[in-house]
Amino acid sequence: MKLTRTSIFLAATAMPMIRAVKPNNYVFFLPDGYGPASETFARDYANYVDESTIKLPVDNLAIGYVRTKSLDSLVTDSAAAATAYACGIKTNNRAIGVDGDNIPCGTVLEAAKLDGYLTGLVVTSRITHASPAGFAAHVADRDMESEIAEQIVGYSHPLGRVVDVMMGGGKCFFLPKSNTDSCRDDDLDLWSIAEDVYHWTMTSSRAAFDSASDSDAVDIPFAFIPASGHMAYEVDRDPQLEPSLTDMAITALDILHRKAKEQDTGFFLFIEASRIDHGGHAHDPIAHLYDILEYNRAMLAVKRWVDDNDDTVLLSAADHECGGLTLGVPDYAWYPSVLTHADHSAQYYAAIYKNMRSFNYSAAMMESTLVDRVFGGYGIYNVTLAEIAGLAITNTPAVFLGELLSSRAGINWSTLGHTAVDVTLFGHGLHTEKLVGNHDNTDVCHFMADQLGLDLGKATRRLQSDESFVASIRSAANAKKFLRPFQHEHEDDIIQAHHKH
Amino acid sequence: MKLTRTSIFLAATAMPMIRAVKPNNYVFFLPDGYGPASETFARDYANYVDESTIKLPVDNLAIGYVRTKSLDSLVTDSAAAATAYACGIKTNNRAIGVDGDNIPCGTVLEAAKLDGYLTGLVVTSRITHASPAGFAAHVADRDMESEIAEQIVGYSHPLGRVVDVMMGGGKCFFLPKSNTDSCRDDDLDLWSIAEDVYHWTMTSSRAAFDSASDSDAVDIPFAFIPASGHMAYEVDRDPQLEPSLTDMAITALDILHRKAKEQDTGFFLFIEASRIDHGGHAHDPIAHLYDILEYNRAMLAVKRWVDDNDDTVLLSAADHECGGLTLGVPDYAWYPSVLTHADHSAQYYAAIYKNMRSFNYSAAMMESTLVDRVFGGYGIYNVTLAEIAGLAITNTPAVFLGELLSSRAGINWSTLGHTAVDVTLFGHGLHTEKLVGNHDNTDVCHFMADQLGLDLGKATRRLQSDESFVASIRSAANAKKFLRPFQHEHEDDIIQAHHKH
């Protein structure tokens, strides 16, 4: 028997059963775009770098699989998947917290709030992006991020404010269009309204975040939004500006736990490793890898936090695979060593290249700088003249670099979008052993609601009783302005918000 | 809670714990080349054909994941993977039942035999192919199928005959080279030797198989080898000649169970859905799909058999993924409906095409026949002139057809070989809940040996004590004739044996 690590895990999960019968707190941790091959990818890399690492932290928490298809597609997007996990229903791709007829559905976060639980959203994308939005907003299309921001702070949510703690990027959707950093089309100063009307502590400062994690004196609702668009990829992150996902997750847990104890209640926390997905869309093995490793660090930290607080349960599953990643292409070639050299994402090196074009470099200077700083910086040492020429003519230099490095590592990407494969379900804590096996993504929602004793139907009825809210969603949907064909996430869209001004 | 099916499964697996403390019989069922995306693929197809089919039979048995890397490669082949499942050790790709130094290792099947259990091998490939060979033979390279055949019948195995029941293809390796159907380089008439010296009942006849399944009067050792090379893909199978894998699996279970009861012992049975892998190598979604569906039928039948015989345990996991299959390429396109028209594999239609070339068709007749019988037969209705021309110039018409149909369905194949992704672990019966989670493939072997109370070390020592046997393996390895670079399985190699004469 060589099952020591797993045996330890099983013992640890079984223990709380003796002490508690019902969890007080639930954490749902979504690694966006994390498919089965991504897990093997990161594990083999970790094992290459450190032979003693045989398994990833999440490997020890695997309990099952999740089926992901949406109402209108066998391949889901993050919006329909978030709605499935949040509301327990299938909906169309691009829909946020509404069913196939654009009628709003109560989410597990909202149902928790209605029952007196505290709630939180912690992500590395814009806080208005599809996954967190699916838990606390209801709009016809995921791109309605201004409306999502309004609902998340409580400004236009039928239930009022349903979120107590939020952390992530997307500040631009809270600023009026007069601000140069705004992504809004209107003059709404949602940042100030959130502070003044809804009593949010709104901060972008790393120092304020650190105070929040060190002190008992945090007020809720508390929002930490350090980035205008998405927060940085982990491999590009400047720790002076942005904490890690692990830091944010534990800080949110500590705040919610402390406040919940004070109020004699529990909490529901949604955490997302948002940008594993973006690395997949961009075919960037470096961005994908480091965000996966940070997801694993955060999962390990949350798992240990749960070990210390056994009235809390951790479930985790991706929304879908991203990029069609396969390892060993062609001919069983799979070389994690190729990935050890890059210090930044392909997007970072592509930005250097784009910047170079504005300089008055000689051809020789251009070539040597490209070889050294761009290709070499990213770990592509044996670059050919044809590849250098290829960079000059591509419209997507980051994807170009990512695919060059991928092919050298034996990694293949089959699509710029998502794929249909089942994703892995991870669990730790009370009763998660009941979820062993293969489940629909909607089942995961009903399990969580059941465990917390929540009534999703009550939340749904409350939302639907607001007739003008329901009418406004259907009106937006009927305008059909969002009913467009599938769009790839453009590589620039992946790293920054849609600056419209 | 919408977990009815899973709850039923959990209840069913939990029940035997009350009645038994140790399994008497173990079934290890290997779906060769069955990766996570293959499961989603077949499920979505099944659901398209029959809306009431929400899950595949194996979906209800999923308990974990298996890591698959071999000693010399992050992407394993079937030989190293079979050795990992059989011996519980990592070895090099292409090695059968030997470690990285070409020293033989005792297998769970051999250890079971030494302890008085009955044993069986049931496959749809040649019975001498890598996966079954890994459980009952020890050679330096998987291509030594003549030597494997000799060991499997007991002729040159250091432990004597270790197999009691075998079913599968590969008759050509049992026939002397004077026989036109032989794949051997020597005059050994292994078929007759097996009958005369080792008392095997050797049969190729479907009628004899049917008698075996209907009657108590089967003698062991019993071999049913109906095909010269591999048995047919399920979609191409002629039931007059070959039974289904399900029929063979249940017949083998019934024979072993009856004989084991008579001898007051238990049994170890290895079953393989061998050719899911071949459909993947050939990029043929039809061959891949129908062999997956037959694997599911067989797993359901074995699961029900276990329900009726609760001293028996079923474990199942693939050796590796094959083909780098992804679903939804490009742009979330995934259309199972495209796959509903073909009645046969791509290999079957490619054979029609190859045959047509020997006729004296006019160009117009050739084109209309290709459109109707080859492309149309396989379900490619909207064939272009460029595609018709492409068929004429490809060296691999079956792969060409397979990729055309795949692309119309939204299926992408990234490699003609295997990939590194973890595979799913399925289990049913006593104590399988202990295997929930992520495991190395070698762990699965040690778990089975532990559950049956077997001593793998004793089997290893017995093998290694035969010095001339050990020397012969090392001698073959040192000749280095097998130490060649990676080879794709050629499409013709996939459907028939290497006829050398």
Side-chain angles (χ1 to χ4, degrees), chain A residues 123-125 168-169 206 209-210 224 226-227 230-249 275 286-287 290-291 293-295 297-298 342-349 495:
Chain A
V123 304
T124 52
S125 65
R206 167 85 215 226
F209 171 83
D210 290 342
F224 171 60
H230 296 311
M231 291 178 68
Y233 281 130
E234 175 60 21
V235 72
D236 293 335
R237 182 171 62 86
D238 177 353
Q240 302 296 316
L241 299 176
E242 297 182 4
S244 67
L245 177 59
T246 303
D247 289 340
M248 294 199 298
R275 304 201 65 203
I286 300 298
Y290 282 84
D291 270 46
L293 295 176
E294 177 58 22
Y295 162 60
R297 278 188 286 269
D343 293 320
H344 288 284
S345 69
Q347 190 66 51
Y348 175 93
Y349 294 106
I495 57 152

Coordinates of all heavy atoms in Angstrom, one line a residue, chain A residues 123-125 168-169 206 209-210 224 226-227 230-249 275 286-287 290-291 293-295 297-298 342-349 495:
Chain A
V123 N -11.9 37.4 -6.3 CA -11.5 36.9 -7.7 C -10.2 37.7 -8.1 O -9.8 38.7 -7.5 CB -12.6 37.2 -8.7 CG1 -13.9 36.5 -8.3 CG2 -12.8 38.7 -8.9
T124 N -9.6 37.2 -9.2 CA -8.5 37.9 -9.8 C -8.8 38.5 -11.1 O -8.0 39.2 -11.7 CB -7.3 36.9 -10.0 OG1 -7.7 35.8 -10.7 CG2 -6.7 36.5 -8.6
S125 N -10.0 38.3 -11.6 CA -10.5 39.0 -12.8 C -11.1 40.3 -12.3 O -11.1 40.6 -11.1 CB -11.5 38.2 -13.5 OG -12.7 38.0 -12.7
G168 N -11.0 42.0 -5.9 CA -10.8 41.7 -7.3 C -10.5 42.9 -8.1 O -10.4 44.0 -7.5
G169 N -10.4 42.8 -9.4 CA -10.1 43.9 -10.3 C -11.5 44.6 -10.7 O -12.5 44.3 -10.2
R206 N -2.9 48.6 -1.5 CA -2.3 47.3 -0.9 C -2.1 47.5 0.6 O -2.3 46.6 1.4 CB -1.0 47.1 -1.6 CG -0.1 46.0 -1.0 CD -0.4 44.6 -1.4 NE -0.2 43.7 -0.3 CZ 0.4 42.5 -0.4 NH1 0.8 42.1 -1.6 NH2 0.5 41.7 0.6
F209 N -5.3 46.9 2.3 CA -5.6 45.5 2.3 C -4.8 44.8 3.4 O -5.3 44.0 4.2 CB -5.2 44.8 1.0 CG -5.2 43.3 1.0 CD1 -6.4 42.6 0.8 CD2 -4.0 42.6 1.2 CE1 -6.4 41.2 0.9 CE2 -4.0 41.2 1.3 CZ -5.2 40.5 1.1
D210 N -3.5 45.2 3.6 CA -2.7 44.6 4.6 C -3.2 44.9 6.0 O -3.2 44.1 6.9 CB -1.2 45.1 4.5 CG -0.6 44.5 3.2 OD1 -1.1 43.5 2.7 OD2 0.5 45.0 2.8
F224 N -12.0 45.5 -1.8 CA -10.6 45.8 -2.1 C -10.5 45.6 -3.6 O -10.6 44.5 -4.1 CB -9.7 44.9 -1.4 CG -8.3 44.9 -1.8 CD1 -7.5 46.1 -1.8 CD2 -7.6 43.8 -2.3 CE1 -6.2 46.2 -2.2 CE2 -6.3 43.8 -2.8 CZ -5.6 45.0 -2.7
P226 N -8.0 46.6 -6.4 CA -6.7 47.3 -6.7 C -6.4 47.5 -8.1 O -5.4 48.2 -8.4 CB -5.7 46.3 -6.1 CG -6.3 44.9 -6.2 CD -7.8 45.2 -6.0
A227 N -7.2 47.0 -9.0 CA -6.8 47.1 -10.5 C -8.0 47.7 -11.3 O -9.2 47.4 -11.0 CB -6.4 45.8 -11.0
H230 N -8.6 43.5 -15.1 CA -8.3 42.3 -14.4 C -7.0 42.6 -13.5 O -6.2 43.4 -13.8 CB -7.9 41.2 -15.3 CG -9.1 40.8 -16.2 ND1 -10.3 40.5 -15.7 CD2 -9.1 40.5 -17.6 CE1 -11.1 40.1 -16.7 NE2 -10.4 40.2 -17.9
M231 N -6.9 41.9 -12.4 CA -5.7 41.9 -11.7 C -4.6 41.1 -12.5 O -4.9 40.5 -13.5 CB -5.9 41.2 -10.3 CG -6.8 42.0 -9.4 SD -7.1 41.2 -7.7 CE -5.4 41.3 -7.0
A232 N -3.4 41.3 -12.2 CA -2.3 40.7 -13.0 C -2.3 39.2 -13.0 O -2.8 38.6 -12.0 CB -0.9 41.2 -12.5
Y233 N -1.8 38.6 -14.1 CA -1.4 37.2 -14.0 C -0.4 37.0 -12.8 O 0.4 37.9 -12.5 CB -0.7 36.8 -15.2 CG -1.5 36.5 -16.4 CD1 -1.2 37.1 -17.7 CD2 -2.6 35.6 -16.4 CE1 -1.9 36.8 -18.8 CE2 -3.3 35.3 -17.5 CZ -3.0 35.9 -18.7 OH -3.7 35.6 -19.9
E234 N -0.5 35.9 -12.1 CA 0.4 35.7 -11.0 C 1.9 35.9 -11.4 O 2.7 36.5 -10.6 CB 0.2 34.3 -10.4 CG 1.1 33.9 -9.3 CD 1.1 34.8 -8.1 OE1 0.1 35.5 -7.9 OE2 2.1 34.8 -7.3
V235 N 2.3 35.4 -12.6 CA 3.7 35.5 -13.0 C 4.1 36.9 -13.2 O 5.3 37.2 -13.2 CB 3.9 34.6 -14.2 CG1 3.3 35.2 -15.5 CG2 5.4 34.3 -14.4
D236 N 3.1 37.8 -13.5 CA 3.4 39.2 -13.7 C 3.2 40.1 -12.5 O 3.4 41.3 -12.6 CB 2.6 39.7 -14.9 CG 2.9 39.1 -16.2 OD1 4.1 38.6 -16.4 OD2 2.1 39.0 -17.1
R237 N 2.7 39.6 -11.5 CA 2.1 40.4 -10.4 C 3.2 41.2 -9.7 O 4.3 40.6 -9.3 CB 1.4 39.5 -9.3 CG 0.8 40.2 -8.2 CD -0.1 39.2 -7.4 NE 0.7 38.1 -6.8 CZ 1.3 38.2 -5.6 NH1 1.3 39.3 -4.9 NH2 2.0 37.1 -5.2
D238 N 2.9 42.4 -9.4 CA 3.8 43.3 -8.6 C 3.3 43.3 -7.1 O 2.2 43.8 -6.9 CB 3.8 44.7 -9.1 CG 4.7 45.7 -8.3 OD1 5.1 45.2 -7.2 OD2 4.8 46.8 -8.7
P239 N 4.0 42.6 -6.2 CA 3.4 42.4 -4.9 C 3.3 43.8 -4.1 O 2.6 43.8 -3.1 CB 4.4 41.5 -4.2 CG 5.6 41.5 -5.0 CD 5.2 41.9 -6.4
Q240 N 3.9 44.8 -4.6 CA 3.7 46.1 -4.0 C 2.3 46.7 -4.3 O 1.8 47.5 -3.5 CB 4.8 47.1 -4.5 CG 6.2 46.8 -4.3 CD 6.6 46.7 -2.9 OE1 6.2 47.6 -2.1 NE2 7.3 45.6 -2.5
L241 N 1.8 46.2 -5.4 CA 0.4 46.7 -5.8 C -0.7 45.7 -5.5 O -1.8 46.1 -5.1 CB 0.4 47.0 -7.3 CG 1.4 48.1 -7.8 CD1 1.4 48.2 -9.3 CD2 1.1 49.4 -7.1
E242 N -0.4 44.4 -5.7 CA -1.5 43.5 -5.6 C -1.0 42.3 -4.7 O 0.0 41.7 -4.9 CB -1.9 42.9 -7.0 CG -2.4 44.0 -7.9 CD -2.8 43.3 -9.3 OE1 -2.7 42.1 -9.4 OE2 -3.2 44.1 -10.1
P243 N -1.9 41.9 -3.7 CA -1.6 40.7 -3.0 C -1.9 39.4 -3.9 O -2.5 39.6 -4.9 CB -2.6 40.7 -1.8 CG -3.7 41.6 -2.4 CD -3.2 42.5 -3.4
S244 N -1.4 38.3 -3.4 CA -1.7 37.1 -4.1 C -3.2 36.6 -3.9 O -3.8 37.1 -2.9 CB -0.8 35.9 -3.7 OG -1.1 35.6 -2.3
L245 N -3.6 35.7 -4.7 CA -5.0 35.2 -4.5 C -5.0 34.5 -3.1 O -6.0 34.6 -2.4 CB -5.3 34.2 -5.6 CG -6.7 33.5 -5.5 CD1 -7.8 34.4 -5.4 CD2 -6.9 32.5 -6.6
T246 N -3.9 33.8 -2.7 CA -3.9 33.1 -1.4 C -4.1 34.2 -0.3 O -4.9 33.9 0.6 CB -2.6 32.4 -1.2 OG1 -2.4 31.5 -2.3 CG2 -2.5 31.7 0.1
D247 N -3.4 35.3 -0.4 CA -3.5 36.3 0.6 C -5.0 36.9 0.7 O -5.5 37.1 1.8 CB -2.6 37.5 0.3 CG -1.1 37.1 0.6 OD1 -0.9 36.2 1.3 OD2 -0.2 37.8 0.1
M248 N -5.5 37.1 -0.5 CA -6.9 37.6 -0.5 C -7.9 36.6 0.1 O -8.8 36.9 0.8 CB -7.3 38.0 -1.9 CG -6.5 39.2 -2.5 SD -7.3 40.0 -3.9 CE -7.4 38.7 -5.1
A249 N -7.7 35.3 -0.3 CA -8.6 34.3 0.1 C -8.6 34.2 1.6 O -9.7 34.1 2.3 CB -8.3 32.9 -0.5
R275 N -7.9 33.7 -13.8 CA -7.1 33.9 -15.0 C -6.4 32.7 -15.5 O -5.6 32.8 -16.5 CB -6.2 35.1 -14.8 CG -7.1 36.4 -14.4 CD -6.4 37.6 -14.6 NE -6.2 37.8 -16.1 CZ -5.3 38.6 -16.6 NH1 -4.5 39.3 -15.8 NH2 -5.2 38.7 -17.9
I286 N 2.9 29.8 -19.8 CA 3.5 30.4 -18.6 C 2.4 31.1 -17.7 O 2.3 30.8 -16.5 CB 4.6 31.4 -19.0 CG1 5.7 30.8 -19.8 CG2 5.1 32.2 -17.7 CD1 6.5 29.7 -19.0
A287 N 1.6 31.9 -18.3 CA 0.5 32.5 -17.6 C -0.4 31.5 -17.0 O -0.9 31.5 -15.8 CB -0.3 33.5 -18.5
Y290 N 1.4 29.5 -13.9 CA 1.6 30.2 -12.7 C 0.3 30.5 -12.0 O 0.2 30.5 -10.8 CB 2.5 31.4 -12.9 CG 4.0 31.1 -13.0 CD1 4.5 30.7 -14.2 CD2 4.8 31.0 -11.8 CE1 5.9 30.3 -14.3 CE2 6.1 30.7 -11.9 CZ 6.7 30.3 -13.1 OH 8.0 29.9 -13.2
D291 N -0.7 30.7 -12.8 CA -2.0 30.9 -12.1 C -2.6 29.6 -11.6 O -3.2 29.6 -10.5 CB -3.0 31.6 -13.1 CG -3.0 33.1 -13.0 OD1 -1.8 33.7 -13.0 OD2 -4.0 33.8 -12.9
L293 N -0.6 27.2 -10.3 CA 0.2 27.0 -9.1 C -0.3 27.8 -8.0 O -0.4 27.4 -6.8 CB 1.7 27.2 -9.4 CG 2.4 26.3 -10.4 CD1 3.8 26.7 -10.7 CD2 2.3 24.8 -9.9
E294 N -0.7 29.1 -8.3 CA -1.2 30.0 -7.2 C -2.6 29.4 -6.8 O -2.9 29.5 -5.6 CB -1.3 31.4 -7.7 CG -1.9 32.4 -6.7 CD -1.2 32.5 -5.4 OE1 0.0 32.1 -5.4 OE2 -1.8 32.9 -4.4
Y295 N -3.4 28.9 -7.7 CA -4.7 28.3 -7.3 C -4.4 27.2 -6.3 O -5.1 27.0 -5.3 CB -5.4 27.8 -8.5 CG -6.5 26.7 -8.3 CD1 -7.6 27.0 -7.5 CD2 -6.4 25.4 -8.8 CE1 -8.5 26.0 -7.2 CE2 -7.3 24.5 -8.6 CZ -8.4 24.8 -7.8 OH -9.4 23.8 -7.6
R297 N -1.7 26.8 -4.3 CA -1.3 27.4 -3.0 C -2.5 27.9 -2.3 O -2.6 27.7 -1.0 CB -0.3 28.6 -3.3 CG 1.1 28.1 -3.5 CD 2.1 29.3 -3.5 NE 2.0 30.1 -4.7 CZ 2.7 29.9 -5.8 NH1 3.6 29.0 -5.9 NH2 2.5 30.7 -6.9
A298 N -3.4 28.6 -3.0 CA -4.6 29.1 -2.3 C -5.5 28.0 -1.8 O -6.0 28.0 -0.7 CB -5.4 30.0 -3.3
A342 N 11.0 31.4 -18.4 CA 10.3 32.7 -18.5 C 10.0 33.3 -17.1 O 9.6 32.6 -16.1 CB 9.0 32.5 -19.2
D343 N 10.2 34.6 -17.0 CA 9.8 35.3 -15.7 C 8.5 36.0 -15.8 O 8.0 36.6 -14.8 CB 10.9 36.4 -15.4 CG 12.2 35.7 -15.1 OD1 12.2 34.7 -14.4 OD2 13.3 36.3 -15.5
H344 N 7.9 36.0 -17.0 CA 6.6 36.7 -17.2 C 5.8 36.0 -18.3 O 6.3 35.1 -18.9 CB 6.9 38.2 -17.6 CG 7.5 39.1 -16.5 ND1 6.7 39.5 -15.5 CD2 8.7 39.5 -16.3 CE1 7.5 40.3 -14.7 NE2 8.7 40.2 -15.2
S345 N 4.6 36.5 -18.4 CA 3.6 36.0 -19.4 C 4.0 36.4 -20.8 O 4.8 37.3 -21.0 CB 2.2 36.5 -19.1 OG 2.2 37.9 -19.4
A346 N 3.5 35.7 -21.8 CA 3.7 36.1 -23.2 C 3.2 37.5 -23.4 O 3.7 38.2 -24.2 CB 2.9 35.1 -24.1
Q347 N 2.1 37.9 -22.7 CA 1.5 39.2 -22.9 C 2.6 40.3 -22.5 O 2.7 41.3 -23.2 CB 0.3 39.3 -22.0 CG -0.5 40.6 -22.2 CD -1.1 40.6 -23.5 OE1 -1.8 39.7 -23.9 NE2 -0.9 41.7 -24.3
Y348 N 3.3 40.0 -21.5 CA 4.4 40.9 -21.0 C 5.4 41.1 -22.1 O 5.8 42.2 -22.4 CB 5.0 40.4 -19.7 CG 6.1 41.1 -19.1 CD1 6.0 42.1 -18.2 CD2 7.5 40.8 -19.5 CE1 7.0 42.8 -17.7 CE2 8.5 41.5 -19.0 CZ 8.3 42.5 -18.1 OH 9.4 43.2 -17.5
Y349 N 5.9 40.0 -22.7 CA 7.0 40.1 -23.7 C 6.4 40.6 -25.0 O 7.1 41.4 -25.7 CB 7.6 38.7 -23.9 CG 8.4 38.3 -22.6 CD1 7.9 37.3 -21.8 CD2 9.6 38.9 -22.3 CE1 8.5 36.9 -20.7 CE2 10.2 38.5 -21.1 CZ 9.7 37.5 -20.3 OH 10.4 37.1 -19.2
I495 N -6.2 41.1 -20.9 CA -5.3 41.7 -19.8 C -5.8 43.1 -19.3 O -5.3 43.6 -18.3 CB -3.8 41.9 -20.3 CG1 -3.8 42.7 -21.5 CG2 -3.2 40.5 -20.4 CD1 -2.4 43.4 -21.6

